[in-house]
Amino acid sequence: MDLTTALAAIYPPDRLLTRASALASYESDALTAFRTRPLAVVLAETRQEVIDTVRLCHAAGVPFVARGSGTSLSGGSVPLDDGIVIALNRLNRIVRLDPVDRIAVVEPGVINLDISAAAEPFGLYYAPDPSSQSVCTIGGNVAFNSGGAHCFRHGMTANHVLGLEVVLPDGEVVRLGGDSVEDVGPDLAGLFVGSEGLFGVALEVTVRLLPRPESYRTVLASYTSLQAAGDAVTRIIAAGLLPGAMEIMDRLAMDAAEAAVHAGYPPGAAAVLLVELEGDAAQAEAELARLSAVLEASGPSHVHIAANAEERALLWKGRKCAFSAVGRLSPDFIVQDGVVPRTKLGDALVAIEQLSRQHGVRVANVFHAGDGNLHPLILYDGREPGALARAEALATDILRLCIRLGGSITGEHGVGLEKRAFLPEMYRPEDIAFMQRLRESVDGRRLANRGKMLETPA
Amino acid sequence: MTVTTPATLDALADAVATTAPAPLRIAGGGTTRPWRHNGAPPGVDVIALGALSGLTAYDPAECVVTVLAGTPVRHLTDTLAVHGQYLPWDPPIAGDGATVGGMLASGLSGPGRYRYGGVRDFVIGARVVDGRGRLIASGGQVVKNAAGFLLHHALVGSAGRLGVIAEVSLKVFPRAEATRTLVARASSLAGALAAHERLRLANLDLDALDLDATSAVVSARLAGAADALDARAARAARALAHAVETLTGADEARHWQALSLAAWPATGATVKVPAAPSRLTAILATLMPLGPCRLSAGGAVAFLHSTQPLDALQDAFAAAHLRGAVVRGPDAGTPLGIRHAPAFADRVRASLDPDGRFR
């Protein structure tokens, strides 16, 4: 019996897609440069269906990839032409939300922001906030160790996942971790997070919820140079402050955001720095006084403290929409996701500016400054001959710059298909060889998300 | 038995490779498992990490430190303190030569884990020597990194059974300007639990929240700007609704030292039990007959010190459907009670230690 026939015994026809027209929307994810039509797509509705599908794939030796909302920016959920896509969006139940123990137990297809929405009546929220949080799913966040704007203080997805139920690539089901922030034995849930689907499929995820801070104080400082904004971040940390988030946007990104949402960013500034303090009201107020003094000394052209929740929301809306807003500036763009040590932000920005000029390609910068996580948006017009190649050449130079400065090729988007060639530049051959051994040990037939992270492109 | 004391990462890798395939034990400061005094079982070679000591990289402005595994925790915390920084999870075993590698391998966090997270939340990279003597790096020296498998996470709590932790990169934080601890002595355990719960739910941004079950004492620490502490302490005292003793300075430090699991004898078994606020009464009902116990991190974890035989602990944990592990004492590293299916753990271990040398 071939695999499709076997799958038809599990799934009704409307949840087993094999026709070209139905498969089209599963050919690629948010990184549209990669596109492959899979053998079939199954729309799973229960855990057992996922387990059975993985077991059938294993028996048939057919590779599979789990998929949520398809928002991967590294091509992490692009299928293989002889492979199966296991779509998990319908596994979207919040199994349990416990406001006393401050945890949520969710299925992998639950949308990131829906957890916070469900927790909101209890004064709780789920901290990791990737820019795509209104559509991306927890399963994908787990696979790629998603970040967001609050990682310096609050950590990444790995720091918020307490437990997992997982189907391994051979169909065996295991539990990792538990339902407490403290566990015993090796932190295997922490190892599973960020494995880009290579260790199997998460069936259930237990996340911790944080109490919503009593108070937020959000400050916008504008500068006449990008480097001055970067230096201000170093001063803030040196002063012993621990903001929840520090974000920087350059002029081009601000222009795009302004055109989209009129966030009120100051005209004429070369860069803005958004700093947000959070916590106990008295503490946040005391920190605001210290932050204001640090910012004044950092030579800003303008400092604005959000007066109320509406002003705060607007400042953030501009930042959160910057990626999509850049679409107004350019028909196509590549989002990079490299990381540099925070103290090297200034150097990195100067170098990116030089590279941009050198390649003749425009770059808009939006980034998580507190985390050293750059998000240069490399603008190009795909209709123009050679434009994509120039943009890619610049992207490559920026990744190598991040490695050279002691950082990482990806802060939160993952390696996926996009950055496979660069992982061996970041790690030594011995390190990559270990990752291969671990992968072989977990998935001897290399079925789970084959082609990603560890396999260098031909 | 041979004892090797390598002084470089290469020498460490070499020592592991040349002693193959003999079983190996890793000796840090000997503060969680007292091999230092007892020696290892016959036929087991020992690699001592005492000479693999020192900070490899530390830029205070970066809030990241990279440190060799044999470095005493105290040396690390002293160095950070010079620059106004600290390890926010308060490593509970920091004195007596306790090492950074042991801190990771034991996976233990102290009261400070309540606010910003535990050791698992601050490890951003590591180098480890596997069972064949290969030096492997994962993660890096930046706080945000999604490149490659996060092997360094699995080292937390690994009890020396995945490989030899050789070097660790940690995120560190600026230390708060001032701290203050409120101590309330309840007349009963139920009263202490109720006060503990009121504090936990009051959204006070506490730095630490512990409960000594045996004495029914609740301890809450505030940390932050000095000029905000009076107002915050007043709110916390109202939530406690008990007579409150306020501690600062040396008295405060002594109070938390006395509460630490390090204050229990290294003999017997110190047991860690992942907990949850909604289950505290049931968990304590199981643990209290076995020895003195404490709750830490707002009831996220319970610690027990017991002189009962291991079998009796196993039985009690299994009967109560509890999961735990001995974290200090001769049996350190022994899991207790219910266990997860081992398939993933076994495969991870096989990739690092195919010959089963780290037992």
Side-chain angles (χ1 to χ4, degrees), chain B residues 29 68 103 150 154 157 162 210 246 255 317 341:
Chain B
L68 292 168
M103 174 179 79
L150 309 175
L162 287 179
D210 274 31
T246 301
H255 177 76
F317 273 65

PDB file of all heavy atoms in Angstrom, chain B residues 29 68 103 150 154 157 162 210 246 255 317 341:
ATOM      1  N   GLY B  29      33.997  20.672  42.587  1.00  0.00           N
ATOM      2  CA  GLY B  29      34.403  20.999  43.946  1.00  0.00           C
ATOM      3  C   GLY B  29      33.998  19.935  44.955  1.00  0.00           C
ATOM      4  O   GLY B  29      34.326  20.030  46.133  1.00  0.00           O
ATOM      5  N   LEU B  68      35.567  28.987  32.595  1.00  0.00           N
ATOM      6  CA  LEU B  68      35.924  27.571  32.568  1.00  0.00           C
ATOM      7  C   LEU B  68      35.182  26.827  33.677  1.00  0.00           C
ATOM      8  O   LEU B  68      34.890  27.391  34.742  1.00  0.00           O
ATOM      9  CB  LEU B  68      37.437  27.405  32.725  1.00  0.00           C
ATOM     10  CG  LEU B  68      38.255  27.912  31.515  1.00  0.00           C
ATOM     11  CD1 LEU B  68      39.740  27.998  31.867  1.00  0.00           C
ATOM     12  CD2 LEU B  68      38.037  27.009  30.300  1.00  0.00           C
ATOM     13  N   MET B 103      27.583  23.772  39.067  1.00  0.00           N
ATOM     14  CA  MET B 103      26.371  24.603  39.127  1.00  0.00           C
ATOM     15  C   MET B 103      25.436  24.260  37.965  1.00  0.00           C
ATOM     16  O   MET B 103      24.221  24.147  38.130  1.00  0.00           O
ATOM     17  CB  MET B 103      26.809  26.066  39.047  1.00  0.00           C
ATOM     18  CG  MET B 103      25.704  27.090  38.940  1.00  0.00           C
ATOM     19  SD  MET B 103      26.400  28.767  38.891  1.00  0.00           S
ATOM     20  CE  MET B 103      26.939  28.869  37.175  1.00  0.00           C
ATOM     21  N   LEU B 150      20.530  23.377  20.661  1.00  0.00           N
ATOM     22  CA  LEU B 150      20.880  24.062  21.905  1.00  0.00           C
ATOM     23  C   LEU B 150      21.370  23.052  22.945  1.00  0.00           C
ATOM     24  O   LEU B 150      20.763  22.880  24.001  1.00  0.00           O
ATOM     25  CB  LEU B 150      19.665  24.842  22.432  1.00  0.00           C
ATOM     26  CG  LEU B 150      18.979  25.776  21.430  1.00  0.00           C
ATOM     27  CD1 LEU B 150      17.725  26.397  22.028  1.00  0.00           C
ATOM     28  CD2 LEU B 150      19.932  26.864  20.967  1.00  0.00           C
ATOM     29  N   ALA B 154      20.671  21.182  27.474  1.00  0.00           N
ATOM     30  CA  ALA B 154      20.577  19.827  28.018  1.00  0.00           C
ATOM     31  C   ALA B 154      21.604  19.576  29.118  1.00  0.00           C
ATOM     32  O   ALA B 154      21.465  18.640  29.907  1.00  0.00           O
ATOM     33  CB  ALA B 154      20.740  18.801  26.898  1.00  0.00           C
ATOM     34  N   GLY B 157      21.313  20.321  34.666  1.00  0.00           N
ATOM     35  CA  GLY B 157      20.706  19.176  35.346  1.00  0.00           C
ATOM     36  C   GLY B 157      21.235  17.837  34.862  1.00  0.00           C
ATOM     37  O   GLY B 157      20.713  16.793  35.239  1.00  0.00           O
ATOM     38  N   LEU B 162      26.141  13.448  30.581  1.00  0.00           N
ATOM     39  CA  LEU B 162      26.114  13.616  29.122  1.00  0.00           C
ATOM     40  C   LEU B 162      27.513  13.851  28.568  1.00  0.00           C
ATOM     41  O   LEU B 162      27.800  13.524  27.426  1.00  0.00           O
ATOM     42  CB  LEU B 162      25.208  14.792  28.736  1.00  0.00           C
ATOM     43  CG  LEU B 162      23.710  14.579  28.881  1.00  0.00           C
ATOM     44  CD1 LEU B 162      22.940  15.833  28.499  1.00  0.00           C
ATOM     45  CD2 LEU B 162      23.236  13.403  28.041  1.00  0.00           C
ATOM     46  N   ASP B 210      10.222  32.544  49.488  1.00  0.00           N
ATOM     47  CA  ASP B 210      10.476  31.197  50.005  1.00  0.00           C
ATOM     48  C   ASP B 210       9.599  30.927  51.215  1.00  0.00           C
ATOM     49  O   ASP B 210       9.127  31.849  51.881  1.00  0.00           O
ATOM     50  CB  ASP B 210      11.949  31.060  50.425  1.00  0.00           C
ATOM     51  CG  ASP B 210      12.858  30.663  49.260  1.00  0.00           C
ATOM     52  OD1 ASP B 210      12.535  31.045  48.117  1.00  0.00           O
ATOM     53  OD2 ASP B 210      13.868  29.993  49.508  1.00  0.00           O
ATOM     54  N   THR B 246      11.772  43.077  59.314  1.00  0.00           N
ATOM     55  CA  THR B 246      12.435  43.565  58.102  1.00  0.00           C
ATOM     56  C   THR B 246      13.946  43.421  58.249  1.00  0.00           C
ATOM     57  O   THR B 246      14.517  43.870  59.242  1.00  0.00           O
ATOM     58  CB  THR B 246      12.078  45.047  57.862  1.00  0.00           C
ATOM     59  OG1 THR B 246      10.655  45.142  57.741  1.00  0.00           O
ATOM     60  CG2 THR B 246      12.713  45.551  56.583  1.00  0.00           C
ATOM     61  N   HIS B 255      20.197  35.527  56.827  1.00  0.00           N
ATOM     62  CA  HIS B 255      18.876  34.887  56.807  1.00  0.00           C
ATOM     63  C   HIS B 255      18.744  33.980  55.579  1.00  0.00           C
ATOM     64  O   HIS B 255      18.311  32.835  55.685  1.00  0.00           O
ATOM     65  CB  HIS B 255      17.783  35.962  56.792  1.00  0.00           C
ATOM     66  CG  HIS B 255      16.392  35.403  56.688  1.00  0.00           C
ATOM     67  ND1 HIS B 255      15.759  34.823  57.759  1.00  0.00           N
ATOM     68  CD2 HIS B 255      15.541  35.307  55.633  1.00  0.00           C
ATOM     69  CE1 HIS B 255      14.557  34.396  57.366  1.00  0.00           C
ATOM     70  NE2 HIS B 255      14.395  34.679  56.077  1.00  0.00           N
ATOM     71  N   PHE B 317       7.856   8.653  46.949  1.00  0.00           N
ATOM     72  CA  PHE B 317       7.649   9.469  45.751  1.00  0.00           C
ATOM     73  C   PHE B 317       6.744   8.756  44.751  1.00  0.00           C
ATOM     74  O   PHE B 317       5.861   9.363  44.149  1.00  0.00           O
ATOM     75  CB  PHE B 317       8.997   9.835  45.095  1.00  0.00           C
ATOM     76  CG  PHE B 317       9.598  11.078  45.660  1.00  0.00           C
ATOM     77  CD1 PHE B 317      10.010  11.122  46.988  1.00  0.00           C
ATOM     78  CD2 PHE B 317       9.743  12.216  44.888  1.00  0.00           C
ATOM     79  CE1 PHE B 317      10.552  12.274  47.529  1.00  0.00           C
ATOM     80  CE2 PHE B 317      10.282  13.382  45.420  1.00  0.00           C
ATOM     81  CZ  PHE B 317      10.692  13.413  46.735  1.00  0.00           C
ATOM     82  N   ALA B 341       9.241   8.417  29.792  1.00  0.00           N
ATOM     83  CA  ALA B 341       9.788   7.438  28.849  1.00  0.00           C
ATOM     84  C   ALA B 341      11.149   7.960  28.383  1.00  0.00           C
ATOM     85  O   ALA B 341      11.296   9.145  28.089  1.00  0.00           O
ATOM     86  CB  ALA B 341       8.847   7.266  27.660  1.00  0.00           C
TER      87      ALA B 341
END
